[in-house]
């Protein structure tokens, strides 16, 4: 390698390092400014900028089976992901409305029209979309379900941090490199790995709170926090989680939160007019959407349920688009319509 090329690379690394140091110093000033303007021992709940409530949606994977090509399947899944991100959805449950498949997300592509595969493919694409771009190669090996991932519109959420953006938190993957006892290095998409305060298995995805006290040091430092920490403590939307449900009843019984869902809403053109829906407070809201055959078919297919009446299964069974002009509303359309209609009805 010529001396001129070596010099060019050296200058590029220097500029990158200076850029990152500028970003970290800027965030440090923002954090210090925020701390100085907020009472350190205030017990007033109004001063807490965090968000402790959650909003979950459940969709059947069978909606992909209605797409005519692999490209359209990918694009349809992308519409679901975008709708969830725009509406600050914290959890997406992909359920089997026929109650005939397992919760396993492993396996190979089985082709269009194979019953149940839509659940797996939808879940995988949604997970891929939620993952920051700089981590995808490490977390998602080449898979036929992601063949047309290039058609997906980016979520552009706060945890998809751009190169020129400042952020107190970053998503990362634990690097497979030696570290001191009770320490690990995390690849957070920066030119230098971040040293964190605990020993974690390499390849694990983590959320890191960056430290801004030693931007000039050789190693960046940070603290591993829970995935919900940015939302709970700073009110920052930090993406959604994805899980599979074997049937519509497993959506509720396999709740991923410590407390159960305290407000469960089903959506259908056969439901009650949303205009008559009373305002309700909640901690964990769940909104369930049906497939081509509606929620009635999903409830009827679940043998563990003692009822076929949706009004007995949900707290509220609502028609979120009364007087619709079309005979049918597609699930991806129903999500945006319902979340917009419910926005003024729910009390946080």
């Amino acid at each position: 390698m010529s001396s001129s090329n070596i010099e060019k690379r050296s200058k590029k690394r220097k500029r990158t390092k200076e850029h990152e140091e500028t970003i970290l110093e800027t965030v440090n000033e923002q954090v210090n400014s925020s701390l100085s303007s907020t009472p350190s021992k205030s017990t007033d709940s109004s001063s807490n900028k965090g968000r402790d409530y959650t909003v979950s949606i459940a969709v059947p994977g069978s909606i992909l089976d209605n797409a005519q090509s692999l490209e359209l399947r990918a694009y349809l899944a992308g519409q679901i992901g975008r709708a969830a991100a725009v509406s600050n959805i914290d959890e997406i449950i992909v359920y089997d409305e026929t109650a005939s498949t397992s919760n396993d997300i492993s396996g190979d592509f089985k082709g269009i029209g194979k019953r149940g595969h839509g659940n797996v493919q939808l879940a995988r694409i949604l997970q891929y979309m939620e993952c920051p771009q700089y981590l995808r190669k490490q977390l998602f090996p080449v898979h036929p379900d992601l063949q047309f991932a290039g058609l997906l519109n980016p979520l552009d959420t706060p945890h998809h941090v751009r190169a020129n953006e400042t952020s107190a938190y970053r998503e990362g993957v634990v690097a497979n490199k030696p570290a001191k006892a009770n320490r690990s290095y995390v690849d957070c998409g920066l030119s230098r790995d971040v040293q964190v305060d605990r020993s974690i298995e390499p390849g694990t995805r983590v959320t890191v709170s960056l430290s801004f006290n030693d931007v000039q040091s050789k190693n960046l430092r940070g603290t591993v926090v829970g995935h919900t920490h940015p939302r709970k403590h700073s009110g920052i939307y930090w993406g959604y989680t994805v899980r599979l449900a074997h049937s519509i009843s497993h959506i509720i019984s396999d709740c991923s939160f410590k407390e159960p869902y305290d407000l469960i809403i089903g959506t259908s053109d056969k439901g009650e007019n949303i205009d008559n829906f009373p305002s309700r407070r909640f901690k964990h809201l769940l909104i369930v959407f049906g497939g081509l055959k509606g929620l009635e078919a999903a409830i009827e297919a679940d043998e563990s349920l003692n009822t076929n009446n949706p009004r007995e299964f949900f707290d509220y069974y609502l028609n979120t688009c009364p007087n619709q002009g079309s005979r049918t509303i597609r699930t991806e359309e129903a999500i945006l319509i319902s979340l917009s209609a419910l926005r003024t009805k729910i009390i946080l």
Side-chain angles (χ1 to χ4, degrees):
M1 184 180 294
S2 65
S3 59
S4 60
N5 289 336
I6 295 176
E7 184 178 356
K8 288 180 180 179
R9 290 193 175 188
S10 177
K11 289 181 179 180
K12 184 177 180 180
R13 286 195 295 267
K14 184 178 179 181
R15 288 196 301 269
T16 301
K17 182 178 180 180
E18 291 175 349
H19 176 65
E20 291 177 356
E21 289 175 352
T22 301
I23 290 177
L24 290 174
E25 289 172 353
T26 302
V27 177
N28 190 25
E29 293 175 359
Q30 294 174 350
V31 172
N32 290 334
S33 175
S34 175
L35 291 175
S36 62
S37 62
T38 304
S40 59
K41 295 184 179 180
S42 174
T43 58
D44 184 7
S45 60
S46 63
S47 65
N48 181 14
K49 298 180 180 179
R51 173 169 71 89
D52 61 352
Y53 68 87
T54 66
V55 180
S56 304
I57 62 173
V59 296
S62 61
I63 62 174
L64 293 192
D65 297 332
N66 199 36
Q68 291 82 10
S69 67
L70 295 174
E71 293 91 338
L72 290 176
R73 288 168 75 94
Y75 191 77
L76 175 55
Q79 289 181 294
I80 302 296
R82 280 286 302 172
V86 168
S87 303
N88 293 341
I89 296 302
D90 302 294
E91 179 189 37
I92 303 177
I93 306 106
V94 181
Y95 72 95
D96 180 14
E97 63 180 350
T98 65
S100 60
T101 60
S102 66
N103 289 354
D104 185 19
I105 63 171
S106 62
D108 297 326
F109 179 68
K110 299 178 181 179
I112 295 179
K114 296 294 184 180
R115 185 176 61 180
H117 179 70
N119 305 319
V120 179
Q121 186 178 23
L122 178 57
R124 184 175 281 113
I125 293 176
L126 290 174
Q127 288 178 330
Y128 180 86
M129 293 183 68
E130 189 276 336
C131 180
Q133 289 89 333
Y134 57 86
L135 298 180
R136 288 175 179 172
K137 286 186 178 180
Q138 301 182 61
L139 297 176
F140 291 88
V142 176
H143 195 282
D145 283 352
L146 303 174
Q147 179 180 0
F148 295 100
L151 297 175
L152 302 172
N153 292 316
L155 296 187
D156 202 20
T157 48
H159 70 302
H160 288 201
V161 186
R162 296 173 180 171
N164 60 344
E165 286 183 330
T166 61
S167 177
Y169 305 97
R170 270 185 175 266
E171 289 294 293
V173 172
V174 179
N176 187 13
K177 58 188 296 187
K180 296 180 180 179
N182 298 322
R183 294 289 187 274
S184 299
Y185 286 101
V186 179
D187 177 7
C188 291
L190 303 171
S191 64
R192 292 175 288 170
D193 290 339
V194 180
Q195 187 180 90
V196 296
D197 57 344
R198 65 182 69 178
S199 178
I200 306 174
E201 182 179 355
T204 304
R205 177 177 167 179
V206 293
T207 303
V208 178
S209 175
L210 297 175
S211 174
F212 312 105
N213 297 323
D214 50 2
V215 296
Q216 300 293 339
S217 66
K218 181 178 179 180
N219 296 318
L220 296 175
R221 300 183 185 277
T223 303
V224 175
V225 297
H227 179 73
T228 60
H229 184 92
R231 168 178 62 83
K232 289 182 177 179
H233 294 267
S234 303
I236 303 173
Y237 177 61
W238 210 246
Y240 54 76
T241 59
V242 181
R243 68 178 174 92
L244 286 167
H246 170 65
S247 63
I248 193 169
S249 62
H250 280 73
I251 297 174
I252 301 171
S253 61
D254 296 342
C255 178
S256 57
F257 305 108
K258 292 182 179 179
E259 305 91 356
Y261 300 110
D262 52 356
L263 180 56
I264 304 174
I265 296 175
T267 60
S268 172
D269 58 350
K270 302 177 181 63
E272 300 293 333
N273 193 319
I274 191 173
D275 295 336
N276 301 325
F277 173 61
S279 299
R280 277 284 307 272
R281 294 185 180 274
F282 66 90
K283 180 69 178 293
H284 299 297
L285 169 63
L286 170 63
I287 307 170
V288 184
F289 297 91
L292 191 62
K293 298 179 180 179
L295 289 174
E296 295 82 2
I299 293 176
E300 185 176 353
D302 194 337
E303 296 180 355
S304 65
L305 297 177
N306 297 322
T307 179
N308 290 333
N309 187 352
R311 290 175 174 79
E312 297 177 3
F313 182 75
F314 301 105
D315 295 327
Y316 294 94
Y317 192 52
L318 301 177
N319 180 0
T320 56
C321 187
N323 303 319
Q324 64 193 55
S326 174
R327 293 187 182 90
T328 58
I329 296 179
R330 299 175 64 89
T331 303
E332 65 272 22
E333 298 168 342
I335 292 175
L336 288 172
I337 293 171
S338 299
L339 293 176
S340 298
L342 286 169
R343 187 175 179 274
T344 60
K345 294 286 187 176
I346 54 181
I347 303 176
L348 310 178

